[in-house]
Amino acid sequence: MGCFECCIKCLGGVPYASLVATILCFSGVALFCGCGHVALTGTVTILEQHFSSNASDHALLTEVIQLMQYVIYGIASFFFLYGIILLAEGFYTTSAVKEMHSEFKTTACGRCISGMFVFLTYILGVAWLGVFGFSAVPVFMFYNMWSTCEVLKALSVNMTTSPDQICVDVRQYGIIPWNALPGKACGMALENICNTNEFYMSYHLFIVACAGAGATVIALLIYMMATTYNYAVLKFKSREDCCTKF
């Protein structure tokens, strides 16, 4: 066999669906975890400096955000390991690779492990749909604040409303208690918040984190199809009357 034919046969053994899903999964998780971690830190800074002067009012929120940041570390580590395992499982199950090495043989343990990957991937896919929805919440909050600031900027042209009458009250989102002071920002104070680096960075980082969560959901959907196909191949090949190429 020549070098070209050997390379073609090797490339035929690559599980391209699992490879694309792995790259997309790594990219999405990296964006979600990295951008989400920095954006959460910026959110705490904005609350402490502009919306909650008493540390006890946002102490619980700070603890929750710190816990979420530690969870982000765990998510990144888990998906790095899980993506590598699924990619290895895809290489193992690819028919071209099996034909290159030897006659394919499967065991009940191998089929059980493949079935476990199918179940776990479906569970993770449903869970990440929830994560994707949850990551859209801070984007919605920051967008409302940003759009209110745009209204304030437009008042310089049309002075039909006093700037002090346009406010953003973060207490309505439930992230700080109703007795927190000042709890809201109005007029020029609100516009100054929107012009700070913390707001600008946090807003855009939350958008990127939400996009990363969406990319991870797509990657898990591809994984679902790949693992289901791999399990079907193992089940089909394990039959004694299997005599055709799947």
Side-chain angles (χ1 to χ4, degrees), residues 2 4 13 18 31 36 38 53 63 89 94 112 116-117 137 149 158 189 198 203 239:
F4 179 77
S18 296
L31 289 176
V38 179
S53 58
E63 293 178 359
E89 196 260 351
T94 303
C112 180
M116 181 191 67
F117 283 142
V137 174
C149 287
N158 184 12
E198 289 81 8
Y203 178 36
R239 295 172 50 185

Side-chain angles (χ1 to χ4, degrees), residues 5-14 16 91 96-97 100:
E5 290 80 5
C6 184
C7 291
I8 293 299
K9 194 168 186 180
C10 289
L11 290 175
V14 176
Y16 291 102
F91 272 104
V97 172
M100 279 195 303

Side-chain angles (χ1 to χ4, degrees), residues 22 30 51 55 71 136 138 160-161 167 182 189 198 216 233 238 241:
T22 301
F51 292 100
V71 170
T160 58
T161 305
C167 305
E198 289 81 8
T216 306
V233 168
S238 65
D241 60 343

Side-chain angles (χ1 to χ4, degrees), residues 33-49:
C33 294
C35 296
H37 185 278
V38 179
L40 289 173
T41 303
T43 301
V44 173
T45 302
I46 294 173
L47 286 174
E48 291 176 346
Q49 294 180 354

Side-chain angles (χ1 to χ4, degrees), residues 25-216:
C25 181
F26 284 176
S27 302
V29 171
L31 289 176
F32 174 78
C33 294
C35 296
H37 185 278
V38 179
L40 289 173
T41 303
T43 301
V44 173
T45 302
I46 294 173
L47 286 174
E48 291 176 346
Q49 294 180 354
H50 303 286
F51 292 100
S52 180
S53 58
N54 190 354
S56 61
D57 291 335
H58 59 268
L60 179 60
L61 177 64
T62 302
E63 293 178 359
V64 171
I65 288 179
Q66 290 177 348
L67 178 61
M68 292 175 63
Q69 289 175 331
Y70 283 114
V71 170
I72 282 175
Y73 296 142
I75 290 175
S77 302
F78 171 79
F79 271 92
F80 176 79
L81 179 61
Y82 190 68
I84 293 296
I85 292 174
L86 286 183
L87 183 60
E89 196 260 351
F91 272 104
Y92 168 74
T93 316
T94 303
S95 59
V97 172
K98 292 179 295 193
E99 290 174 0
M100 279 195 303
H101 288 85
S102 63
E103 183 181 355
F104 176 76
K105 295 181 180 179
T106 183
T107 62
C109 180
R111 295 192 298 273
C112 180
I113 294 175
S114 183
M116 181 191 67
F117 283 142
V118 174
F119 175 76
L120 183 57
T121 305
Y122 271 81
I123 295 298
L124 290 174
V126 174
W128 266 94
L129 283 174
V131 173
F132 175 66
F134 179 77
S135 64
V137 174
V139 176
F140 171 76
M141 295 168 55
F142 274 82
Y143 173 76
N144 283 343
M145 187 180 298
W146 174 81
S147 60
T148 305
C149 287
E150 291 298 311
V151 172
L152 283 173
K153 294 177 181 179
L155 289 180
S156 59
V157 179
N158 184 12
M159 297 295 294
T160 58
T161 305
S162 172
D164 293 333
Q165 294 179 348
I166 300 177
C167 305
V168 168
D169 192 342
V170 298
R171 295 172 296 185
Q172 65 182 332
Y173 300 113
I175 57 178
I176 57 175
W178 279 105
N179 57 357
L181 295 175
K184 64 179 181 179
C186 303
M188 294 303 299
L190 175 60
E191 187 174 353
N192 290 334
I193 293 174
C194 292
N195 292 330
T196 59
N197 291 330
E198 289 81 8
F199 176 83
Y200 180 82
M201 288 296 296
S202 297
Y203 178 36
H204 289 86
L205 286 175
F206 272 127
I207 294 176
V208 176
C210 184
T216 306

